[in-house]
């Protein structure tokens, strides 16, 4: 994509000079920021919560600004310390121990965060599950992890096949007022009975902290295992990329059932002692803008899907809100269309900073720092302390502008340490000292990385390689197109042809003329071989809960194949 770079903005950012930061950089120096560097006592819960609660200037600062349609609450660092202590005491009373897997299956709420840190405080491993999971998805995860305890709500308990889960010994119910909870532990009642003091279980940096299940292209979801050591990278990227400062009001839209919702919805902001807006529920452009305005959000971390919806909603909607506090916006999870960057500059006068990373990587790896020029369509450059490259299938480095596997040199702090119960799968990620991401990309001469697709999504039509993202980005620039998903459809003549599924913006009618106009638009904008030979209009484009277009599903529909694991599909 040939677009002008978006230059650095003047401003008082944490990092002024990316190259300067990279020079002589050593992760060991980041360790000095933590209290355990001197005391030897490690626990993420201490660093994120108790450390601030022990600071007289910070203990009554708002940690969590919670907002749901029927409830609003603000919780200070000291309150969060006490509540997580109480929950840790409940866990001890129930004989839960260090290393046990304890899962959370509930909507975002203050109780979620108290429970989450209670789990870490006893040295157990937390497994957050997205609230929209149905029975099969819940069972797969609890079964594979051999979870001993689950914290859930009476409504969600209906999706937990308790009698098929022999390892699941205890269930804590949150909000169980009118339910017969004879076989369960009642969160509210137990919290009243236990002390607000707790001696944190000190752990090793390499001890387990978190299990995040993520879907691969085949088989059941796999448990990605993270350790306390990851905090080093959460902290550093919180400073460099998110640009967190004392007085910021930060909002990350991701649910803690996904890695963005823990690494950057919990750890990074609280390691920096920053006020964190937590907002559950479904979103519309008005709800997004309304939240940004109401809480005077200064830093926002969200996803391209959200941003594209804002673009579709138009400038008139933005103009109804006061977004003057918002100073820094970031995006993750899928390719950030250049069109969205241009739009945000024009309409909100803000740069959108793309960041690339994965569940397996635990934290950001390739980013646009506030002090870097942004090249629209590029994910940016590796953070200090991380070496990225494009490699071939044998793990040999390719030269600039060659497309290949996006790979990271093993050994960054937040890297997953295992796939739960599946050493073979874990091993399969690594070739020749590189972690191979499964994404295809290229690096330009200046070291910027450009995402091309998941490896299995890249289209080869008449010998020309086409990244579906490029075509999708172009399609949504057409005034009639709201969203687009593009696949390669097998074709005897061309190998594959490009097929596009689109949804239309309001006020546009499907017609042969319109489809031809859209085709021409891509042909004229990109190239003839990138223009979809087939376009089909849909009511919605299937996406995962984290906003990724499920091209695999589009392809299965197209070919009349079984749809496979759809547990992460947004309804
Ligand atoms: C954090 C997260 C990881 C996959 C990754 C890639 C895609 C993430 C992206 C991006 C283009 C970006 N992805 N960030 N693609 N540009 N900035 O999303 O983790 O849910 O495990 O997804 O998401 O394909 O391999 P996860």
């Amino acid at each position: 994509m040939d677009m002008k770079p978006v230059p650095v903005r003047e401003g008082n950012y944490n990092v002024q000079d990316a190259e300067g930061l990279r020079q002589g950089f050593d992760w060991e120096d980041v360790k000095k920021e933590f209290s355990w560097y001197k005391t030897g006592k490690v626990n993420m819960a201490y660093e994120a919560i108790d450390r601030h609660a022990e600071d007289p200037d910070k203990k009554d600062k708002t940690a969590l600004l919670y907002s749901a349609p029927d409830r609003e609450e603000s919780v200070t660092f000291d309150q969060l310390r006490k509540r997580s202590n109480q929950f840790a005491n409940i866990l001890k009373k129930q004989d839960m121990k260090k290393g046990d897997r304890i899962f959370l299956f509930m909507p975002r709420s203050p109780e979620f965060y108290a429970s989450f840190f209670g789990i870490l405080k006893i040295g157990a491993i937390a497994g957050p599950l997205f609230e929209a999971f149905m029975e099969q998805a819940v069972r797969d995860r609890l079964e594979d992890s051999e979870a001993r305890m689950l914290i859930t709500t009476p409504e969600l308990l209906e999706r937990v096949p308790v009698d098929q889960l022999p390892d699941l010994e205890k269930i804590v119910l949150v909000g169980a007022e009118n339910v017969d909870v004879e076989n369960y532990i009642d969160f509210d009642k137990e919290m009243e009975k236990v002390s607000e003091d707790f001696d944190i279980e000190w752990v090793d940096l390499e001890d387990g902290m978190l299990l995040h299940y993520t879907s691969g292209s085949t088989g059941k979801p796999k448990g990605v295992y993270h350790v306390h050591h990851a905090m080093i990278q959460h902290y550093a990227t919180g400073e460099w990329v998110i640009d967190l400062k004392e007085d910021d009001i930060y909002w990350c839209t991701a649910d803690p059932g996904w890695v963005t919702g823990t690494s950057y919805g919990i750890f990074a902001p609280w390691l920096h002692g920053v006020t964190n807006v937590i907002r559950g529920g479904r979103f519309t452009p008005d709800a997004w803008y309304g939240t940004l305005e109401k809480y005077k959000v200064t830093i926002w971390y969200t996803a391209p899907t959200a941003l594209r919806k804002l673009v579709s909603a138009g400038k008139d909607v933005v103009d109804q809100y006061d977004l003057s506090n918002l100073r820094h916006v970031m995006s993750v999870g899928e390719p950030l269309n250049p069109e969205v960057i241009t739009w945000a500059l024009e309409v909100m006068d803000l740069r959108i900073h793309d960041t690339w990373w994965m569940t397996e990587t635990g934290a950001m790896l390739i980013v646009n720092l506030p002090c870097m020029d942004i090249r629209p369509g590029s994910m940016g450059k590796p953070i200090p302390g991380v070496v990225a490259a494009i490699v071939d299938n044998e793990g040999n480095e390719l030269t600039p502008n060659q497309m290949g596997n996006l790979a990271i040199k093993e050994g960054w702090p937040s890297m997953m340490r295992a796939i739960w119960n599946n050493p073979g799968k874990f091993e399969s990620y690594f070739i020749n000292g590189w972690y191979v991401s499964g994404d295809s990309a290229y690096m330009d001469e200046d070291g910027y990385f450009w995402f091309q697709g998941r490896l299995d999504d890249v289209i080869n039509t008449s010998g020309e390689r086409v990244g579906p993202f490029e075509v999708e980005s172009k399609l949504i620039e057409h005034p009639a197109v709201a969203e687009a998903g593009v696949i390669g459809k097998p074709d005897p003549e061309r190998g594959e042809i490009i097929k596009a599924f689109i949804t239309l913006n309001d006020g546009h009618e499907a017609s042969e003329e319109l489809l031809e106009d859209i085709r021409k638009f891509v042909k004229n904008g990109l190239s003839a071989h990138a223009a979809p030979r087939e376009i089909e209009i849909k009511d919605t484009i299937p996406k995962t809960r984290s906003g990724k277009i499920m091209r695999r599903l589009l392809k299965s529909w197209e070919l009349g194949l079984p749809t496979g694991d759809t547990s992460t599909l947004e309804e």
Side-chain angles (χ1 to χ4, degrees), residues 260 333-335 354-359 379 439 451 454 548:
T260 307
E334 47 165 339
D354 195 14
T355 64
W356 177 91
W357 55 293
M358 303 172 70
T359 306
M379 310 185 286
D439 285 354
F451 179 86
R454 282 300 293 176
K548 289 181 235 316

Side-chain angles (χ1 to χ4, degrees), residues 40-46 50 85 88 92 96-99 117-124 198-204 207-208 228:
K41 294 174 171 170
V42 176
N43 192 306
M44 171 67 98
Y46 179 80
D50 291 36
N85 279 351
K92 280 286 173 197
M96 293 295 132
K97 302 185 306 292
K98 183 178 174 192
F117 282 110
I119 294 169
L120 301 195
K121 281 183 171 181
I122 71 159
F198 183 78
D199 287 330
I200 291 184
E201 174 93 33
W202 301 113
V203 299
D204 189 87
D207 278 335
H228 288 258

Side-chain angles (χ1 to χ4, degrees), residues 256-273:
W258 311 117
V259 72
T260 307
T262 54
S263 294
Y264 294 100
I266 299 180
F267 301 137
W270 282 337
L271 285 169
H272 283 271

